[in-house]
Amino acid sequence: MEGPVDVLVVGSGGREHALCWKIAKSDKVDQVYCAPGNGGTHLVAKNVPIKATDLDGLLAFAKEKKIGLTVVGPEDPLCMGIVDRFEAEGLVIFGPDQKSAEIEGSKAFCRELCRTHHIPSPQSWIFSDVTKAYQFLEGHKDEKLVIKASGLAAGKGVMICENHAEARQAVSECLDKRTFGDSGNTIVIEEFLTGQEVSVLALSDGSTIVPLETAKDHKARFEGNKGPNTGGMGVISPSPAANPRTLKQTESQILVQGIHGMGQEGRRYKGVLYAGIIVTSLGPRLLEFNCRFGDPETQPLMMRLKSDIVPYLLACARGDLGQIRSGPDWDPRPAACVVAVARGYPGSYEKGQRIEGIYEFEGHDDLMIFHAGTERRVDGNCYTSGGRVFSVTAMGKSTGDALSLCYEVLGKVGFPGMGFRKDIGKRGAYQH
Ligand code: GLY
């Protein structure tokens, strides 16, 4: 029988803290490392000062420490080909290879995939030529449109355009002013759909698909869905919009079609496939595929997951997920997560504020603070170092109970200028 392995988690957000926390509970694991980690990951893992995009450094570390499983959090190293590099050296790594990560790295590729493999999606049009894009807008003057930079843009490349002037502005930002650099060389214009958004994540080894529990993210910065989009201000799990019919349709029409479609394109998709869907009156429609775990979706999902996650991650990476006959098991109780952000986020934000009470807080299986943009300094205190600073995640008898626990903690732990949404999980906060 195989002995316990050492695990390397790549990344530094709340998602990675939650993954380290869950993985560290596994009896199949000896030591968890987190590169580069944050001011909280050292509580459950050993931080390693190597950036998530330093593929040479990560590879050298994994070889030296004989890491038995590497789990990649963010999209950048995946799109840079970390999985290809590790696998070429015989290392076991969870995540899609570079060709497969294009499902997130190129929105134009994703839309072509949807078209070819009949994945229900909004109508979409792809442009690289600014004149042709403006011409297209002339014929769609009265429509609300979504305009996306095709490449990675840290969540900022999606523009919801209420009118013709805003649509022209968005086209100009991408194709003329090059605000998103090469990521905006190509744009995708999509019809705007109305409904509730749901995040549905699934594990896959390229043939077997294991959907996880659902989650509902809140992307806008301010209460009532106002203000600029962020990486995510809070989550409830399960999502209220995820009824059994919607889930069945999402699994068969979106997740299975996505994974199998990728296979037919010669891209065996291993890792987690994140489907951002919108539930319309005609059924679920795919807004985006991401090639990684969501943040903050992962925090409540890891709390609700009762099964050991490590056998699933190993099986995806090795291509034998079909060998796992049961599960995973979930705690039926709902969970919630509220994100605390620095003043100014998602624009330029303050850093270096001391966070009071965070190291004194004693978490447990049903209530945790997951760190993100935090750092522990030599004085032993914790300081802010990023836009999304930490998230409080709780499980309760009801979503309301879980949220009350989160907000109670946010009344005790904090820093100057801290912001958070007070309406996470409230109906009006996520209905469009
Ligand atoms: N919470 C949204 C995302 O991870 O993309």
Side-chain angles (χ1 to χ4, degrees), residues 91-144:
L91 292 163
V92 178
I93 181 163
F94 175 86
D97 63 14
Q98 190 170 25
K99 263 169 79 180
S100 301
E102 247 199 295
I103 205 163
E104 176 168 359
S106 165
K107 292 183 175 44
F109 166 75
C110 180
R111 282 298 169 227
E112 293 293 1
L113 180 85
C114 293
R115 232 188 297 272
T116 311
H117 298 281
H118 313 292
I119 297 169
S121 306
Q123 263 198 294
S124 63
W125 303 268
I126 298 167
F127 297 95
S128 301
D129 182 298
V130 67
T131 314
K132 289 193 176 137
Y134 285 140
Q135 269 167 6
F136 170 85
L137 293 183
E138 288 304 309
H140 293 77
K141 270 188 164 157
D142 301 323
E143 293 166 36
K144 186 167 171 179

Side-chain angles (χ1 to χ4, degrees), residues 257-271:
Q257 281 297 97
I259 299 280
H260 292 170
M262 287 292 275
Q264 284 168 26
E265 304 285 329
R267 305 174 194 234
R268 181 170 181 173
Y269 193 97
K270 295 194 296 178

